[in-house]
Amino acid sequence: MTPEIVVILLFVVATAVAILARRLRIPYTVALVAAGLLLGALHLLDAFHLTEALLFTVFLPGLIFEAAFHLEFRGLWRDRIAVGSLALPGVLGSVGITAALLVGTSALFGFAGPFTWSAALIFGALIAATDPIAVVAIFRAVGAPRRLSTLMEAESLFNDGTAIVVFSLVLALATGQALGAGELILSFLTVVGMGALVGGVLGIAIAQAIQWIDDPMIEITLTTLAAYGSFIVAEHLGFSGVIATVVAGLLCGNYAARTGMSPATRLAVESFWEYVAFALNSLVFLLIGLEVRIAGLAAAWQPIVIAYLAVLIARGVVTGSIWALLSQSRWRFPARWAALLTWGGLRGGRSLVLVLGLPLGLPARGELVAVTFGVVILTIMVNGLSMAPVMRRLGLGAEDSELTHDRIQASALITRAAINELERLDRAHFADPALIAAVREPYEQRLLADRSQLQTLRTEQETLARETRRRLHRHVMLAQMEYAAEALRAGTISRAAFDDILPELDAQILRLESTTSADGDGDTAT
């Protein structure tokens, strides 16, 4: 079967799975893995393998850029301490705790294929990076707090880069390369820091080019160059391609898209990258399922279960420790979020590719491959399928009434925008007033109906009234921040005054977004 036919068949399967997953209300990525497992077990599709070259040159840059492009820098900056803690010391802590638990349980229970410290550290490093694609999709579907979604996605973007660098250093040590502590730290900082620099330089250059151009096709091409060019250049120079792509994506999404793209162009670019992410995710998760051989996993069930529990415990210790350290600071987040960050730490294709790329002569390589595949499948199938019920159990998902409220409110907002545009055209004498009035009438009727439904929902549901009040506070505070920034640029207020005002507004928004209807009503004085 030729590669072209395989790709077409994979997309056919992905489309069918997407339709089925929507009807069954299960996470799409989980359904893809299940479909891949079934196809692999029945030997119905002889697909190409998920190799390191394929992942790092085709899949990873596109997926990382799309996530970074849609990540709001303001939210990332607000949670920079939490994200940095999870992505740097959190990754190192996860590697060490996972390795210690594996070595300890191996010695205690003597299960087949015991882990040495070297093998356990390699496994801890290659399994450290989380892959929250399925989780973030569930967050959006059930109405999770926006800040929680941003926190998990941002952590994943940055811990991809740090975990891969840590894995490379651990593997170098395990294969006999002599590296001192100072040399390890310097190597880590160089790879990550220079990767960020490469992404920054290319991201700014492409953002500037976008400022001069107003052509959707060219601007889509430029963002593609930013995604794959930053990754390839950084990797070619020996730096972190993942970090480079993250930085380039943040610059293109938060600077180039907002200042250099027209609304129509931005919509085209966003639609393009959303489809790229859908297509790449579909192929990756299907290939993950196809790579797995269930018979091999069944033979190694004991070390797989122990490793899965070790990974889960290590993740819990890391997120719990960071929550405790930040609990009295302005960067705090609710304890329930720490629990969800623990349970939502799914692993994906990156771990599989890293373990398959291990040297063939490495001791315990076979056990590492089997255990890694088993842990990845368990996190996707067990954690992924149970994520929505866990969120509701923790009180972090929106109720049906809240989702209905959001849909009606969105309808009212865009209907009001249509009426405003018709009024503008009327003032400009664009068409006969009677014709404009006739076009406007159904919009006004729809707006009245939406307002009536919103009023009924808010009257009957006290939590909706509190949530609406919280959103009003947030909207007003963001407007204050935007006005302050504009006043600074215009010279109306001084830099000193701006520096005094901004931290307080930032802290108020942080406090507001840390509360949910279960934590409080969200009232914050402004």
Side-chain angles (χ1 to χ4, degrees):
M1 192 177 295
T2 64
E4 295 84 357
I5 295 176
V6 169
V7 171
I8 291 172
L9 290 176
L10 287 174
F11 276 116
V12 169
V13 173
T15 303
V17 170
I19 296 170
L20 186 62
R22 181 180 292 271
R23 293 192 175 181
L24 296 178
R25 296 181 178 273
I26 60 175
Y28 170 58
T29 49
V30 175
L32 283 170
V33 173
L37 287 170
L38 181 62
L39 291 173
L42 298 176
H43 304 288
L44 296 178
L45 186 62
D46 186 20
F48 46 82
H49 294 288
L50 188 62
T51 63
E52 182 176 2
L54 189 62
L55 186 77
F56 277 69
T57 58
V58 177
F59 293 109
L60 204 53
L63 290 172
I64 289 174
F65 183 87
E66 187 273 338
F69 185 88
H70 290 98
L71 189 64
E72 187 183 33
F73 183 76
R74 179 183 291 163
L76 173 62
W77 182 251
R78 191 174 301 129
D79 277 318
R80 60 192 180 278
I81 301 299
V83 171
S85 299
L86 288 166
L88 194 54
V91 166
L92 296 174
S94 181
V95 172
I97 295 169
T98 301
L101 289 171
L102 282 174
V103 171
T105 52
S106 176
L108 184 62
F109 296 106
F111 58 80
F115 279 99
T116 62
W117 269 106
S118 176
L121 284 170
I122 290 173
F123 174 77
L126 65 86
I127 207 73
T130 57
D131 189 351
I133 294 165
V135 177
V136 172
I138 296 169
F139 280 7
R140 292 168 182 164
V142 301
R146 182 185 301 176
R147 184 184 167 214
L148 174 59
S149 211
T150 299
L151 185 60
M152 178 164 279
E153 197 162 11
E155 179 223 345
S156 172
L157 283 174
F158 286 97
N159 75 17
D160 272 349
T162 55
I164 290 172
V165 174
V166 170
F167 170 77
S168 301
L169 295 175
V170 169
L171 185 60
L173 289 173
T175 53
Q177 296 184 35
L179 294 172
E183 192 175 354
L184 281 172
I185 295 172
L186 180 61
S187 177
F188 178 84
L189 293 176
T190 301
V191 171
V192 172
M194 293 303 293
L197 180 62
V198 169
V201 170
L202 290 179
I204 290 172
I206 287 174
Q208 289 298 321
I210 287 173
Q211 302 284 330
W212 304 329
I213 298 167
D214 186 19
D215 186 310
M217 295 301 102
I218 295 177
E219 292 177 66
I220 288 173
T221 304
L222 287 172
T223 58
T224 306
L225 288 173
Y228 288 89
S230 58
F231 191 94
I232 292 170
V233 170
E235 288 289 325
H236 180 72
L237 296 174
F239 307 133
S240 173
V242 173
I243 296 295
T245 305
V246 169
V247 174
L250 286 170
L251 286 168
C252 288
N254 288 272
Y255 173 53
R258 296 184 181 182
T259 63
M261 294 182 186
S262 65
T265 297
R266 183 169 182 176
L267 181 62
V269 172
E270 289 181 349
S271 298
F272 168 78
W273 281 107
E274 284 174 5
Y275 173 72
V276 168
F278 169 80
L280 295 180
N281 277 322
S282 298
L283 293 177
V284 164
F285 280 93
L286 270 176
L287 290 174
I288 287 175
L290 287 168
E291 287 284 349
V292 175
R293 294 293 175 263
I294 297 177
L297 298 186
W301 72 268
Q302 189 178 12
I304 288 173
V305 171
I306 291 174
Y308 168 74
L309 294 175
V311 168
L312 198 61
I313 292 169
R315 176 74 175 172
V317 171
V318 166
T319 55
S321 300
I322 292 172
W323 168 80
L325 289 171
L326 299 180
S327 61
Q328 300 303 316
S329 72
R330 57 176 296 196
W331 298 287
R332 65 186 179 277
F333 52 88
R336 294 174 302 159
W337 290 16
L340 204 62
L341 286 169
T342 298
W343 194 249
L346 278 63
R347 272 58 175 182
R350 285 178 285 287
S351 297
L352 300 186
V353 169
L354 290 176
V355 76
L356 289 173
L358 291 173
L360 294 177
L362 188 74
R365 184 184 184 276
E367 289 87 350
L368 284 171
V369 172
V371 170
T372 302
F373 272 67
V375 170
V376 168
I377 294 300
L378 280 176
T379 61
I380 292 173
M381 302 303 292
V382 176
N383 299 50
L385 279 174
S386 61
M387 182 56 57
V390 168
M391 288 182 66
R392 294 190 180 96
R393 183 75 175 175
L394 293 172
L396 291 172
E399 300 293 338
D400 290 341
S401 58
E402 292 181 56
L403 296 176
T404 301
H405 175 273
D406 285 351
R407 285 193 290 269
I408 298 172
Q409 188 173 57
S411 173
L413 286 171
I414 61 175
T415 302
R416 179 72 260 181
I419 293 172
N420 290 342
E421 178 63 13
L422 287 168
E423 290 174 349
R424 187 188 68 82
L425 294 174
D426 190 17
R427 291 192 298 270
H429 304 290
F430 181 82
D432 184 83
L435 180 59
I436 290 179
V439 174
R440 185 171 56 200
E441 183 178 359
Y443 288 101
E444 290 178 338
Q445 292 176 354
R446 186 186 307 167
L447 183 60
L448 286 173
D450 288 341
R451 285 176 172 173
S452 176
Q453 291 183 67
L454 288 172
Q455 184 61 38
T456 302
L457 282 170
R458 290 167 185 168
T459 302
E460 294 175 352
Q461 299 283 338
E462 185 182 350
T463 55
L464 289 177
R466 288 201 299 265
E467 176 63 14
T468 302
R469 186 161 60 248
R470 188 188 70 83
R471 291 184 180 183
L472 282 172
H473 277 304
R474 183 180 186 275
H475 182 80
V476 170
M477 282 186 279
L478 289 174
Q480 287 178 295
M481 293 180 72
E482 290 175 3
Y483 179 80
E486 184 61 34
L488 176 66
R489 286 192 292 269
T492 307
I493 63 174
S494 66
R495 166 60 68 176
F498 179 80
D499 291 340
D500 285 340
I501 293 170
L502 193 63
E504 177 57 27
L505 288 172
D506 193 52
Q508 288 179 15
I509 293 176
L510 185 62
R511 287 196 298 271
L512 190 69
E513 293 187 345
S514 295
T515 62
T516 64
S517 58
D519 296 321
D521 64 8
D523 283 341
T524 303
T526 56

